Amino acid sequence: MSNWHNKSTDGLCEALLSLKTKEECYAFLEDICTIKEALDISQRLDVAKMLNKGISYTKITKETGASAATISRVSKCCEYGAGGYKIVIDRCGDKNND
C-alpha cells in the first residue's frame, strides 16, 4: 500500500463512490475543488481518451489546450500507472467526446 493510502483518502474514495448522479458529482466537485482543478482533471481524462485512440500529441494539444508536459505525464500514467485511466475509459467509453 502506497503511503498516500490512508484514512483520509479512503474517506475521499468512499465519498466519490457514494455519488449517484452527474448533478451530485458537479456539486461535490464544486465544493471540494477549485473550478480550475476540476477543469484540469477533466482535461487529463480527455487527453487519456485521445491517447487511447492513438491521437498525436499535436492534435491533442490543439483540441484540448493541454501542454506537451501534461500529455506526456498522462501518457506515462496510462502506460505505467495503476490502471485508473484504463478502468474509467473502459467503463465510461467516450460519452462526452463522440
Side-chain angles (χ1 to χ4, degrees), residues 1-72:
M1 179 160 79
S2 179
N3 65 356
W4 72 279
H5 292 218
N6 59 47
K7 194 173 185 176
S8 291
T9 55
D10 284 351
L12 175 60
C13 289
E14 302 225 356
L16 291 168
L17 291 168
S18 76
L19 300 170
K20 294 185 177 13
T21 67
K22 192 182 294 186
E23 290 75 24
E24 288 179 355
C25 289
Y26 270 109
F28 184 64
L29 286 171
E30 187 172 336
D31 288 348
I32 200 165
C33 299
T34 66
I35 300 300
K36 177 155 179 14
E37 288 168 336
L39 291 171
D40 288 347
I41 292 166
S42 63
Q43 180 189 63
R44 288 183 205 127
L45 181 55
D46 287 342
V47 168
K49 289 175 181 178
M50 294 175 83
L51 288 168
N52 189 58
K53 291 179 179 179
I55 297 173
S56 72
Y57 277 36
T58 303
K59 187 168 183 183
I60 293 171
T61 295
K62 188 176 185 178
E63 290 191 22
T64 67
S67 68
T70 296
I71 298 167
S72 178

Side-chain angles (χ1 to χ4, degrees), residues 71-89:
I71 298 167
S72 178
R73 183 180 187 286
V74 171
S75 179
K76 285 178 186 166
C77 288
C78 288
E79 179 116 7
Y80 305 109
Y85 281 119
K86 180 172 176 17
I87 291 167
V88 170
I89 291 168

